[in-house]
Amino acid sequence: MSHPTASAGSEAQTRYVLRFRRADRILHGMLMASFLCLALTGLPLLFAEAPWAARMAGLFGGYGVTGFLHRTAATVLIACFTLHLARILHRLYVKKEMGLLWGPDSLVPQPKDVVQMLQHLRWFLRLGPRPLFDRYTYWEKFDYWAVFWGMGIIGTSGLMLWLPGLFAHLLPGWVFNIALVVHGEEALLAMVFIFTVHFFNGHIRPEKFPMDTVIFTGRVSLEELEQDRPAEYERLLRDGKLEEAIATPPSHRLDLAGRLVGTTAVVLGFVMVVLSLYALLAW
């Protein structure tokens, strides 16, 4: 069986598969930008007693401006989440794409994900072969559903702190003390997870280092698809849908922009993790 990928050595002849459409990339860009802003402005608010926190808030114009930027970023994140839900509902109920709920193109956790997680652990320990991943891996599904958890816990507690007068009509005062603790601790946990585990899986692990630009360009080479997600590659080939998935190569400008934005996000994330650990150890 002939390999659809052109011979290595001629980058211009490399064929690409469209993995993420423009709407998906825009929403991810909104999510990434708003989350970074929330982390950058949330840290000096959470650790306000630390000397570096005052200097960090000063870069934004003081604690008042920092709080305003934090709430603005939260609004963007809520809008992004709402738009994503609207797209999911439209695809389910209008376009009848039931594959979103189950099957290889679904982000819903399935029994095979537990099996592949165990197989992956065995592979890490050199006790078995690497599992044959399909379109979404088990850790990508975990990352996806973690956003829902975060929006429910961090988002709700944040709204309570933002609009205490409104929620005070419905809830007793002691609930706001719990909301303050929950919002800060859960947000810190989410930030550390995203800037370590998620960034490692997406960009820093050896086969992706120094940057995986697929979320920015939306495209992945056929060779990379076959290596990273052999089950998806074989499924597309078997169903005769591989040629339908072929896309134009990413432009040099788009690829460069993705690398610059991604590298900036990784560096900022690493700095914020270091600051968080320093603040926690100094507490």
Side-chain angles (χ1 to χ4, degrees):
M1 183 180 296
S2 60
H3 196 290
T5 308
S7 60
S10 177
E11 185 178 349
Q13 295 180 352
T14 301
R15 304 180 74 192
Y16 289 84
V17 169
L18 183 64
R19 182 161 178 79
F20 298 111
R21 299 188 181 277
R22 181 176 297 177
D24 298 316
R25 304 198 303 269
I26 291 175
L27 283 176
H28 183 273
M30 291 174 59
L31 175 67
M32 182 179 67
S34 58
F35 188 85
L36 280 171
C37 185
L38 283 167
L40 284 168
T41 55
L43 275 182
L45 295 174
L46 180 62
F47 299 108
E49 300 85 359
W52 60 263
R55 290 192 290 269
M56 190 173 180
L59 295 176
F60 298 113
Y63 280 107
V65 178
T66 302
F68 172 78
L69 293 175
H70 193 75
R71 293 187 291 271
T72 301
T75 302
V76 174
L77 183 59
I78 292 172
C80 175
F81 186 71
T82 303
L83 286 172
H84 176 69
L85 289 181
R87 287 192 69 225
I88 293 296
L89 294 175
H90 180 264
R91 292 176 64 183
L92 281 175
Y93 293 103
V94 177
K95 301 179 72 174
K96 306 298 182 182
E97 297 182 20
M98 295 297 113
L100 291 175
L101 298 177
W102 204 256
D105 293 326
S106 174
L107 277 163
V108 176
Q110 301 170 40
K112 72 169 186 177
D113 296 311
V114 178
V115 174
Q116 290 189 333
M117 182 177 65
L118 297 175
Q119 290 174 339
H120 211 194
L121 179 60
R122 288 176 55 85
W123 179 71
F124 284 141
L125 299 174
R126 301 183 183 273
L127 298 176
R130 187 175 186 267
L132 303 179
F133 294 116
D134 209 302
R135 179 166 176 79
Y136 297 113
T137 62
Y138 66 87
W139 68 81
E140 290 170 334
K141 294 183 179 183
F142 181 88
D143 289 352
Y144 176 78
W145 287 101
V147 176
F148 286 78
W149 169 267
M151 289 302 297
I153 302 299
I154 305 174
T156 300
S157 58
L159 286 174
M160 290 174 59
L161 299 173
W162 185 0
L163 305 169
L166 175 63
F167 285 91
H169 291 291
L170 306 171
L171 301 169
W174 58 266
V175 175
F176 293 90
N177 294 328
I178 296 178
L180 181 62
V181 174
V182 167
H183 187 74
E185 298 299 324
E186 284 291 326
L188 185 62
L189 178 63
M191 189 199 72
V192 172
F193 176 84
I194 291 296
F195 294 152
T196 54
V197 178
H198 179 70
F199 276 7
F200 175 83
N201 286 332
H203 305 294
I204 305 176
R205 58 192 170 105
E207 58 265 38
K208 298 299 179 183
F209 187 84
M211 182 59 54
D212 186 358
T213 60
V214 64
I215 196 59
F216 304 107
T217 66
R219 296 159 176 82
V220 62
S221 69
L222 276 176
E223 181 181 4
E224 187 176 349
L225 179 69
E226 184 180 15
Q227 291 176 353
D228 289 352
R229 304 169 196 275
E232 180 182 15
Y233 177 87
E234 292 297 334
R235 176 169 54 84
L236 292 173
L237 196 63
R238 182 179 63 251
D239 296 344
K241 296 182 178 180
L242 191 59
E243 289 300 322
E244 298 177 14
I246 297 298
T248 57
S251 67
H252 176 70
R253 180 179 299 179
L254 182 61
D255 182 72
L256 180 61
R259 293 182 184 280
L260 289 175
V261 171
T263 301
T264 301
V266 170
V267 171
L268 286 175
F270 177 75
V271 170
M272 284 186 278
V273 169
V274 171
L275 284 176
S276 301
L277 293 177
Y278 174 77
L280 289 173
L281 291 175
W283 237 357

